[in-house]
Amino acid sequence: MGSMEIRVKLSRQGKNTTLSELYINDEFICYVLEDSIRDEKIPGSTAIPAGRYKLEYNRYGAMNGRYQRWYPKFHKGMIELKGIPNFSYVYIHKGNTHANTAGCLLVGNTMRYDKNFGDYEVHQSQKAYKTVYKRLSALMEKGEVFIKVRY
């Protein structure tokens, strides 16, 4: 099949959050929540830099073990974005607020703006995660998959 590219399109910027939309073949799949975009990286509190990154499975670590227990029917490893300068262990996973991101991409079917904190949240995250994981996993079986962030 060759290679496939999925896209994460920047949508809005909150005080500590970056809200984007994930597309596969130009089809909107879900929202993505990340930390703030910063010129200077703050570990665990910075959105990944714009770019094109390869998706690969990471089958090591405690998070992989948890997801394996939660989703034994389809989990094949954490989906990791590889080759990001100065970042490692950047996964696509579930969560709701920037407190859950630690530099990763959280997925959700709905989003909400919290006026009190000036930040975005994603919700229905588990449902979105199952959909995204199964779609990406099926593509990864067929060939290389790249994610283009903030096009």
Side-chain angles (χ1 to χ4, degrees):
M1 177 191 132
S3 72
M4 167 83 190
E5 191 172 88
I6 63 171
R7 296 175 303 159
V8 174
K9 181 181 179 188
L10 179 62
S11 173
R12 300 182 189 116
Q13 194 72 58
K15 203 167 75 180
N16 300 294
T17 49
T18 301
L19 183 75
S20 299
E21 299 169 350
L22 187 140
Y23 292 86
I24 298 176
N25 289 333
D26 296 323
E27 175 193 352
F28 171 77
I29 305 297
C30 67
Y31 292 101
V32 173
L33 189 77
E34 289 182 82
D35 288 310
S36 298
I37 295 171
R38 305 179 196 278
D39 292 334
E40 191 90 2
K41 182 185 175 184
I42 299 172
S45 302
T46 307
I48 62 171
R52 185 174 184 262
Y53 308 107
K54 188 176 181 190
L55 296 181
E56 291 181 4
Y57 292 117
N58 185 323
R59 296 183 173 95
Y60 303 97
M63 184 177 250
N64 181 56
R66 279 196 306 278
Y67 277 67
Q68 185 66 60
R69 284 193 303 280
W70 291 337
Y71 307 112
K73 288 189 172 90
F74 65 82
H75 184 81
K76 297 177 176 127
M78 297 305 296
I79 295 179
E80 182 178 2
L81 285 71
K82 301 294 278 187
I84 305 169
N86 305 316
F87 284 77
S88 53
Y89 308 110
V90 175
Y91 301 128
I92 294 172
H93 66 86
K94 58 186 186 168
N96 304 111
T97 70
H98 74 94
N100 307 134
T101 65
C104 291
L105 280 65
L106 304 180
V107 292
N109 283 343
T110 61
M111 65 81 156
R112 175 176 170 264
Y113 181 72
D114 185 328
K115 291 192 297 271
N116 299 326
F117 294 102
D119 275 314
Y120 291 93
E121 299 174 353
V122 291
H123 294 278
Q124 294 180 18
S125 187
Q126 179 161 269
K127 199 172 174 188
Y129 178 77
K130 288 177 181 176
T131 300
V132 169
Y133 191 97
K134 289 173 183 174
R135 294 278 298 265
L136 293 179
S137 178
L139 293 170
M140 289 164 73
E141 301 288 308
K142 294 178 185 163
E144 291 186 323
V145 179
F146 293 88
I147 185 165
K148 192 170 185 183
V149 180
R150 281 184 281 288
Y151 67 95

